[in-house]
Structures are given as structure tokens and as C-alpha cells.
Amino acid sequence: MNYLISMENLFSYSPIQYFTVSHLLALGFAVMLWGLVYFLMTVRQTSAKYRVLSALSGVVMVSAFLILFFQWQSWENAFVFNELTWMFERQADKIFTNWYRYLNWLIDVPMLLIQILFVVTLWAAKRFKLWSQFVFSWAAMIILWYVGQFYESTDTTALLVWGALSTIFFLHILYLMNKILKDWSKDQSIAPGARKILKNIWILFMISWTLYIVAYLMPVISMSADGVVVRQLVFTVADISSKVIYGIMLMQAVIIRSKEEEGYVLS
Ligand code: RET
């Protein structure tokens, strides 16, 4: 079996399965476009020092939109309907890949992590230090995972071992995030409404980032056409919550901070 092939290519799909995946991917990129409009429209609702947050969210939305669009095209191109079997079957000369998605993480994850550092109040040096720690662990996590995913259709043990190594660094990211959010949700100088949002962001962060691991483990949980549908569902929910809902919650926090701490009013 080919080492590079991802599990999606190993099955044929009923029309319901095929279109569910197709619609999930389309939903994904449509929501990113919607998010972009939201982040553009709210730029002026915060004081100047928070505006970089809107720019970072914009970058996340554009890159996620593009990449989910290509992911959707890759799905549409790889499978054709066979009238005889009433199934969508993979064309012999095409493969579907999740690589667009994984490439997207290279851009989006560092952006998502630095976003939080602009919502809380930090000295520039401290901000840089935290971000470097984030990026180091994130790079280690991704590189180890990158090796692991080559085995997803062939060697489950290898997939799990590389995944476990990768998880060590993921736990470090969770630890840092928890520390930042815990410290700041106790800080009296932050408006109470914003502090409450910071607390909720921790829950959202933990759940939505963990969903990516569930999707990664799908070949182990259910190596089937239904497993593929569930995997794309999990990816879509994770994408919408970790990028769009997260971004909106951060915006809400800084809108409150601008208004209540600085008396900022939209001119
Ligand atoms: C992998 C491999 C298995 C071990 C772990 C993983 C974690 C992945 C995560 C990805 C988050 C991605 C985000 C993307 C947003 O654009 C790589 C699946 C721990 C946490 C937030």
C-alpha cells in the first residue's frame, strides 16, 4: 500500500456520505468568509492598541478560506459517480489529500497563539518570550506529527508512537495557555466582563484543539467510509471553533476592555 495516501482514498462513498463531506468542506470555507466580514466590520470598535488582533484574525480567515476551498476541490476532483454501483469512486489517477489543511496549520496556529497575547496586557519582551515558547512547542508538535501521518494507512503502531511524542508538546501549549488565561482572569485591572470571556476561552481552546487529535486518530477509531465522514465533521467543527468563535470571543473581550477601561467610544 502506498505510504503517502490518506485514509479518504481507500473507500467508495454513497451519495449521502460523499455530499456530507463535500458540504462540510463548503461550510468550512463559507464560515471563514463570514468571519472575515465580521473582523473587518469590528476593527473600529476597539482602541488602537488592539487593532492588530483584527489584522491577525483577518490573516487566519483568508488563509483558512483558501485552504478549505482547495481541500473541497481536491475532494470534488478525486471521486466520480459510478452509475452501475451508485457509489462515488476514486478516479484511478487522482488522490484526495488533507495536506492543504495541514499546511494551513503552519500559518494559522502561530497566529492563533499570538492573538491571545495581544488581548492580555504584556510587556513586549514578555510577549516575545511567551510567543517563542508557543512556537517552539508548536513546531515540535507539527514536525513529529508530520512523520506520523505518513503511516496512517499502513502502520497504526507508528502512527500512535509519533502521535504520543507530538502530544507531549501539545500538553506544553495547553499548560502555557492555561497559565496565561488563569493569571489574567484573576487580574483586577481587567474589566470583569472581559475576564469572564477569558475564562470561557480556556474551555473553548481546550475542546477545539483536542478535536484535531480525534480527527488525526480516526484511522484507528474507525477505518471506514463513515469514519471519513466523521473525520471531516470533526475537522470542520474544530476549524470553526478554534478560528472563528475563538476570534470573536477575543474581539468581544477587547471591545469590553476598550470601552470599560479606556472609555473608548466609536467615533
Ligand atoms: C496532532 C498529532 C497527534 C498529536 C497531537 C496533534 C495536535 C494537533 C493540534 C492541532 C491544532 C490545530 C489548529 C489549527 C487551526 O488552524 C498534530 C494531530 C497533539 C492541537 C488549532
Side-chain angles (χ1 to χ4, degrees):
M1 207 178 283
N2 193 317
Y3 262 69
L4 293 171
I5 216 152
S6 52
M7 78 183 266
E8 282 80 358
N9 297 290
L10 306 179
F11 308 103
S12 296
Y13 301 91
S14 71
I16 290 186
Q17 289 169 328
Y18 176 82
F19 284 116
T20 305
V21 171
S22 180
H23 294 164
L24 282 169
L25 292 169
L27 175 71
F29 69 72
V31 172
M32 298 306 148
L33 207 56
W34 177 85
L36 181 64
V37 173
Y38 171 87
F39 293 117
L40 287 175
M41 292 193 62
T42 48
V43 172
R44 288 177 61 248
Q45 293 190 17
T46 67
S47 68
K49 69 176 186 208
Y50 295 121
R51 302 247 163 107
V52 64
L53 193 63
S54 306
L56 290 168
S57 287
V59 172
V60 171
M61 292 302 109
V62 171
S63 74
F65 168 82
L66 284 174
I67 263 137
L68 287 173
F69 183 79
F70 288 129
Q71 192 83 51
W72 172 73
Q73 274 198 324
S74 167
W75 179 259
E76 296 280 308
N77 292 336
F79 299 91
V80 285
F81 187 61
N82 180 337
E83 268 184 343
L84 300 176
T85 57
W86 263 74
M87 297 290 274
F88 280 85
E89 291 165 2
R90 188 167 60 81
Q91 290 181 275
D93 59 346
K94 296 269 165 53
I95 60 162
F96 170 81
T97 118
N98 281 307
W99 290 335
Y100 298 111
R101 188 183 285 289
Y102 300 145
L103 272 178
N104 171 245
W105 294 2
L106 290 177
I107 307 166
D108 282 358
V109 175
M111 298 292 139
L112 296 173
L113 293 173
I114 198 166
Q115 276 187 316
I116 192 74
L117 305 178
F118 281 98
V119 174
V120 298
T121 319
L122 287 170
W123 295 108
K126 175 85 173 155
R127 179 177 292 151
F128 183 73
K129 189 173 162 227
L130 278 171
W131 193 57
S132 324
Q133 288 177 333
F134 267 147
V135 168
F136 171 80
S137 280
W138 162 79
M141 185 184 97
I142 290 289
I143 292 165
L144 291 166
W145 152 81
Y146 184 75
V147 181
Q149 57 98 29
F150 283 116
Y151 297 99
E152 77 168 33
S153 302
T154 52
D155 184 345
T156 307
T157 315
L159 179 77
L160 290 176
V161 170
W162 289 102
L165 290 174
S166 179
T167 305
I168 297 172
F169 292 94
F170 175 56
L171 292 176
H172 183 233
I173 293 176
L174 281 183
Y175 165 81
L176 286 176
M177 196 63 158
N178 178 266
K179 197 163 152 355
I180 295 168
L181 291 172
K182 271 250 171 68
D183 286 357
W184 290 96
S185 60
K186 282 196 220 105
D187 187 304
Q188 300 296 327
S189 67
I190 299 184
R195 270 191 272 149
K196 195 155 165 249
I197 295 177
L198 289 180
K199 255 200 201 138
N200 292 337
I201 287 178
W202 165 243
I203 299 168
L204 176 87
F205 184 87
M206 215 172 28
I207 296 174
S208 60
W209 283 53
T210 304
L211 286 178
Y212 286 101
I213 306 178
V214 177
Y216 172 80
L217 288 176
M218 216 54 220
V220 184
I221 301 169
S222 170
M223 188 62 147
S224 64
D226 279 335
V228 168
V229 177
V230 174
R231 178 191 234 192
Q232 296 300 327
L233 173 70
V234 171
F235 268 140
T236 305
V237 173
D239 278 341
I240 294 175
S241 38
S242 73
K243 299 184 226 262
V244 187
I245 301 180
Y246 171 78
I248 291 175
M249 287 171 88
L250 293 177
M251 266 320 275
Q252 294 299 328
V254 293
I255 289 172
I256 294 176
R257 291 200 70 182
S258 305
K259 199 156 64 185
E260 293 180 17
E261 295 166 27
E262 298 170 41
Y264 176 83
V265 276
L266 185 62
S267 48

